[in-house]
Amino acid sequence: MKKVGIIGAGASGLMAAIEAAGEGAAVTLFEKKDRVGKKILVTGNGRCNFTNANLSKDHYYTDDDDFVERILSKFGNSELLMYFTGLGLLIREKNGYFYPSCDQASAVLDLLRQALTEKNVEVKTDSNVISVSTKNDAYVVTLENGDTYQFDAVIIATGGKAGLSPKETVNGYDILNKLNHKSTKLYPALTQIKCEGLNFKALSGVKSDCVLYLFADENLIMSQGGELLFTDSGISGIVSFQISHCVAEFLDNKKKVEVVLDLLPGIEEEKLKAFIVPKMLLHPNQTLEEFFVGIHNKKLNTEIIKRIGLKPSMKVSDVDKDTLLNAVLSLKEITVKAVDVNGFDKAQVTGGGILTGEVTDDLESKLHKNLFITGELLNVDGLCGGYNLQWAFSTGIIAGRAAGKQEDK
Ligand SMILES: Cc1cc2nc3c(=O)[nH]c(=O)nc-3n(C[C@H](O)[C@H](O)[C@H](O)COP(=O)(O)OP(=O)(O)OC[C@H]3O[C@@H](n4cnc5c(N)ncnc54)[C@H](O)[C@@H]3O)c2cc1C
């Protein structure tokens, strides 16, 4: 019977193990933590947003869009929905985002664990793999405690650096680098952006619908709409997560990175003027603090008033009409400077990774037969919205089937 070793029991490793065993292989799954699939439990704020109806290559950062498309056309959104339904998961959709209907990520993990048991996968937790080496036509997997195991095929599914504390060593890239695989530079992605240009401490906790425009060296790179959350050092929330990979890369390349915030999206300038001018005429005796009530969040109103050099206690009639109008209009165009992104420990995914050109469409290494690479380790990272778990599950399934199927020696 063919022996397959899988390093890492995260989303992609669990899938790979189930599928390789389904092909009739004897599978051993190594996990350095005390339990398998711990990260799945925290995904989607504990609800596990595992795929998206709008799945396409356009939702990923990668060195090869076509590769992503080919993988997703082999095993995409509808295949994953069918797969989980087959495992026994009742699924619900909200605005194109898919979750377990019970809203519990643990349900996804429990079903995967049940499948592991049914398929007789040997699970070894507390087993930190420190190296994978070739020996004739086989692979030797060495654990931190010195134990060694020999396999006909190995799947490296260790995930990236996201979510790891700076103290934790990451072996996936090291293991693969020692086997001559190359990785791009790595960046924290889907994370908060540290900014300058607003009193962020005063705004911390404020949420707003927003459209963000990302500029690098004065050139518009992209825009994203969604909910923004101000933190005491910058911006967070899904809308800023979506641009964080780009921000990290541009900053690393010493570009000037600016983000323009439209905090009144969908309300055109003319409409805003038509609202503000009569409001000024109707309430000349209001303080600016009172006047701004009903326009935006109170903390943001105060900050905008201060930003243009006025005091919240001043009266509307004491302020020049254009100054006041511009203050309100400025909510549609606040420019802040991005200076950093949060580290890997606070990121949801790793940007960059093993070059996709080094694996086949079965995720098999082009350098080493019967060696497979899955999930976040590869230079493919998705936007928020279920794209990363879909990638992990797709690659795990494809690699598991290919690794398990190959002929016995
Ligand atoms: C807070 C948070 C929320 C997220 N929410 C979502 C979401 O809602 N939707 C979405 O699509 N994506 C989400 N993601 C991203 C998604 O979880 C990952 O992209 C995905 O889990 C990657 O799967 P993977 O199998 O490549 O790696 P991982 O899931 O990271 O699994 C790797 C496994 O390998 C183990 N391991 C590592 N090194 C070794 C070693 N040397 N020996 C043995 N074991 C090892 C690790 O302990 C881990 O269990 C979220 C991520 C985070 C951090």
Side-chain angles (χ1 to χ4, degrees):
M1 191 188 253
K2 184 170 187 186
K3 288 171 76 180
V4 177
I6 298 173
I7 323 298
S12 69
L14 287 164
M15 279 296 198
I18 294 163
E19 291 306 301
E23 295 293 334
V27 178
T28 306
L29 177 59
F30 297 97
E31 170 53 51
K32 70 176 178 184
K33 296 196 176 141
D34 59 345
R35 287 187 60 194
V36 302
K38 270 190 165 176
K39 195 190 277 181
I40 292 176
L41 298 176
V42 298
T43 57
N45 285 327
R47 293 182 304 149
C48 188
N49 168 211
F50 62 90
T51 185
N52 196 295
N54 298 315
L55 188 68
S56 82
K57 63 179 167 48
D58 300 337
H59 296 96
Y60 293 89
Y61 292 101
T62 176
D63 52 11
D64 186 355
D65 285 348
D66 293 341
F67 170 75
V68 173
E69 187 162 276
R70 290 197 302 277
I71 296 298
L72 296 178
S73 67
K74 272 186 157 190
F75 196 94
N77 162 271
S78 50
E79 288 84 1
L80 189 60
L81 293 174
M82 227 173 338
Y83 189 95
F84 274 124
T85 304
L87 286 185
L89 187 72
L90 190 62
I91 296 164
R92 75 176 174 86
E93 187 221 324
K94 197 179 170 200
N95 303 327
Y97 293 50
F98 289 90
Y99 303 86
S101 71
C102 60
D103 265 346
Q104 286 183 302
S106 58
V108 173
L109 180 57
D110 286 345
L111 289 170
L112 292 171
R113 287 172 49 233
Q114 285 173 19
L116 283 182
T117 309
E118 275 167 25
K119 297 269 163 54
N120 293 318
V121 172
E122 186 184 7
V123 179
K124 291 191 174 292
T125 49
D126 295 309
S127 298
N128 188 21
V129 173
I130 55 163
S131 85
V132 175
S133 54
T134 52
K135 187 178 174 192
N136 303 323
D137 280 345
Y139 289 94
V140 177
V141 169
T142 305
L143 303 193
E144 198 174 20
N145 66 9
D147 290 354
T148 58
Y149 299 82
Q150 193 160 321
F151 297 101
D152 302 306
V154 164
I155 301 175
I156 316 276
T158 54
K161 286 180 83 172
L164 299 182
S165 83
K167 284 184 200 150
E168 284 184 81
T169 52
V170 189
N171 288 308
Y173 304 105
D174 301 343
I175 289 169
L176 286 163
N177 292 157
K178 280 184 192 141
L179 289 164
N180 296 321
H181 275 287
K182 291 191 187 64
S183 161
T184 65
K185 203 158 182 181
L186 305 175
Y187 299 101
L190 302 189
T191 191
Q192 292 183 16
I193 302 170
K194 296 181 184 171
C195 301
E196 287 172 355
L198 264 179
N199 183 359
F200 289 103
K201 283 213 160 44
L203 294 176
S204 184
V206 171
K207 287 181 182 170
S208 172
D209 261 355
C210 181
V211 175
L212 294 184
Y213 298 88
L214 173 65
F215 289 84
D217 285 348
E218 325 277 332
N219 298 312
L220 177 64
I221 305 298
M222 63 163 81
S223 64
Q224 283 285 331
E227 191 181 70
L228 181 83
L229 169 69
F230 286 97
T231 69
D232 58 6
S233 61
I235 55 175
S236 184
I238 290 181
V239 70
S240 81
F241 282 9
Q242 308 291 43
I243 64 169
S244 56
H245 176 141
C246 265
V247 170
E249 208 166 330
F250 283 131
L251 288 174
D252 190 46
N253 291 323
K254 310 283 177 243
K255 304 245 188 232
K256 180 176 151 201
V257 184
E258 288 175 312
V259 184
V260 174
L261 319 176
D262 175 357
L263 296 169
L264 292 172
I267 303 178
E268 295 314 318
E269 212 171 296
E270 286 312 311
K271 194 174 166 193
L272 205 50
K273 278 186 191 162
F275 167 73
I276 291 300
V277 175
K279 188 169 160 105
M280 283 194 251
L281 295 172
L282 280 169
H283 306 288
N285 292 324
Q286 279 187 337
T287 62
L288 293 186
E289 190 174 20
E290 289 164 341
F291 179 79
F292 269 77
V293 171
I295 297 177
H296 219 300
N297 179 289
K298 212 170 180 178
K299 284 184 182 173
L300 193 58
N301 290 340
T302 309
E303 184 55 24
I304 294 298
I305 296 166
K306 288 183 182 162
R307 231 168 107 85
I308 51 162
L310 302 175
K311 289 194 180 125
S313 57
M314 288 170 86
K315 280 197 173 169
V316 170
S317 56
D318 293 338
V319 181
D320 171 67
K321 181 177 150 228
D322 286 340
T323 306
L324 197 49
L325 193 58
N326 286 336
V328 179
L329 290 178
S330 75
L331 283 164
K332 291 204 67 65
E333 201 179 299
I334 299 176
T335 303
V336 296
K337 187 177 170 204
V339 291
D340 203 355
V341 296
N342 272 352
F344 284 106
D345 53 333
K346 300 205 175 83
Q348 288 198 1
V349 290
T350 312
I354 301 294
L355 298 171
T356 57
E358 296 189 347
V359 292
T360 68
D361 289 0
D362 277 337
L363 288 320
E364 184 175 13
S365 161
K366 289 181 183 170
L367 311 181
H368 302 278
K369 202 168 158 35
N370 284 325
L371 178 80
F372 296 79
I373 307 168
T374 62
E376 205 174 301
L377 262 179
L378 290 160
N379 183 16
V380 180
D381 55 298
L383 296 179
C384 252
Y387 302 105
N388 288 295
L389 281 175
Q390 170 79 56
W391 179 252
F393 289 138
S394 295
T395 52
I397 284 192
I398 294 168
R401 287 177 185 170
K405 206 178 264 174
Q406 290 167 34
E407 284 168 22
D408 283 350
K409 288 190 251 165

